[in-house]
Amino acid sequence: DAGVIQSPRHEVTEMGQEVTLRCKPISGHNSLFWYRQTMMRGLELLIYFNNNVPIDDSGMPEDRFSAKMPNASFSTLKIQPSEPRDSAVYFCASSRMGRGLSGNTIYFGEGSWLTVV
Amino acid sequence: GDSVTQMEGPVTLSEEAFLTINCTYTATGYPSLFWYVQYPGEGLQLLLKATKADDKGSNKGFEATYRKETTSFHLEKGSVQVSDSAVYFCALDSNYQLIWGAGTKLIIKP
């Protein structure tokens, strides 16, 4: 079975440009997470979807960030306009969820490595 | 709130040495506990987990036992290899998300 698929793997963009990161979760998983990882702040949860509905977006840094999940097999994380401090690795992850995680594993994609210059 | 504390790295060992990475947690109730590993340039992947007290998770020679009395889930391996060099994350599940430790970088020298 294919894992969580993210694209692009690497992106270098200029400050002010729009960045769109894409994710295909594992088939059958009903929960999707976007994380950001940096040396300074470690691993941060940005937003969590359950059954395509955003449940908790309290980790989204500011209005420049937005995320959508139009269907069960696709999600995007958009940054507009991008800034150098957005440079990080962005991970998408998915899981099955009932009443909470209940010990279910969260599966991660390989990440999108973003550099804003 | 729930939290996870793990030992700071980097931890540097010689090949075939014994490994312990400490992890303690604070939580209401009895969460499931996880160890994830991140190899250079890759995403995080589950290494092992335990869903209730006294459970032992194991995988690839690594083990960790869910200790309710000491609120700990220490990661151990009897003989490490160079290929074990990675960052290791301890985590607990808190309702719908994982609460993560800061990660411990492990460096194994040949």
Side-chain angles (χ1 to χ4, degrees):
Chain A
D1 186 18
V4 176
I5 300 172
Q6 293 187 243
S7 64
R9 281 298 312 275
H10 299 273
E11 173 132 357
V12 180
T13 190
E14 291 186 347
M15 183 173 62
Q17 295 298 305
E18 178 179 288
V19 173
T20 299
L21 308 178
R22 298 172 178 80
C23 175
K24 177 179 170 55
I26 292 173
S27 177
H29 284 186
N30 61 349
S31 297
L32 184 140
F33 308 82
W34 281 102
Y35 284 91
R36 178 172 68 178
Q37 187 179 39
T38 61
M39 290 292 291
M40 292 297 294
R41 301 172 70 94
L43 195 62
E44 304 172 276
L45 177 64
L46 300 179
I47 188 169
Y48 150 64
F49 291 85
N50 185 250
N51 293 323
N52 312 338
V53 177
I55 303 300
D56 183 358
D57 64 355
S58 59
M60 295 287 264
E62 49 198 272
D63 290 346
R64 297 185 297 107
F65 286 69
S66 62
K68 294 183 179 180
M69 191 166 186
N71 57 61
S73 59
F74 184 66
S75 177
T76 59
L77 177 67
K78 189 172 293 187
I79 309 172
Q80 167 62 19
S82 59
E83 297 182 3
R85 60 193 168 116
D86 302 329
S87 298
V89 185
Y90 292 82
F91 289 105
C92 179
S94 71
S95 179
R96 297 180 193 278
M97 188 157 330
R99 279 191 177 182
L101 273 172
S102 301
N104 288 323
T105 300
I106 292 181
Y107 294 86
F108 283 76
E110 295 197 332
S112 292
W113 300 67
L114 174 65
T115 302
V116 183
V117 298
Chain B
D2 296 352
S3 65
V4 174
T5 303
Q6 57 182 108
M7 63 191 292
E8 288 189 24
V11 173
T12 303
L13 296 172
S14 297
E15 205 165 19
E16 299 183 1
F18 184 87
L19 168 71
T20 300
I21 300 178
N22 290 336
C23 172
T24 57
Y25 67 91
T26 302
T28 54
Y30 304 105
S32 296
L33 301 173
F34 302 79
W35 277 101
Y36 277 77
V37 58
Q38 184 178 28
Y39 298 104
E42 298 184 11
L44 285 75
Q45 55 185 278
L46 179 70
L47 180 59
L48 53 84
K49 67 180 180 182
T51 57
K52 60 182 187 295
D54 300 324
D55 267 2
K56 177 185 284 187
S58 61
N59 186 26
K60 299 181 181 179
F62 290 89
E63 293 182 340
T65 301
Y66 190 157
R67 302 284 188 200
K68 186 178 64 174
E69 62 276 11
T70 55
T71 61
S72 65
F73 192 55
H74 304 320
L75 182 68
E76 297 182 334
K77 186 175 185 182
S79 176
V80 292
Q81 306 300 313
V82 172
S83 58
D84 294 326
S85 298
V87 180
Y88 292 80
F89 293 88
C90 185
L92 65 84
D93 78 17
S94 179
N95 194 14
Y96 62 83
Q97 64 173 306
L98 291 182
I99 305 299
W100 298 91
T104 302
K105 185 172 184 177
L106 175 64
I107 301 169
I108 306 300
K109 296 188 173 180

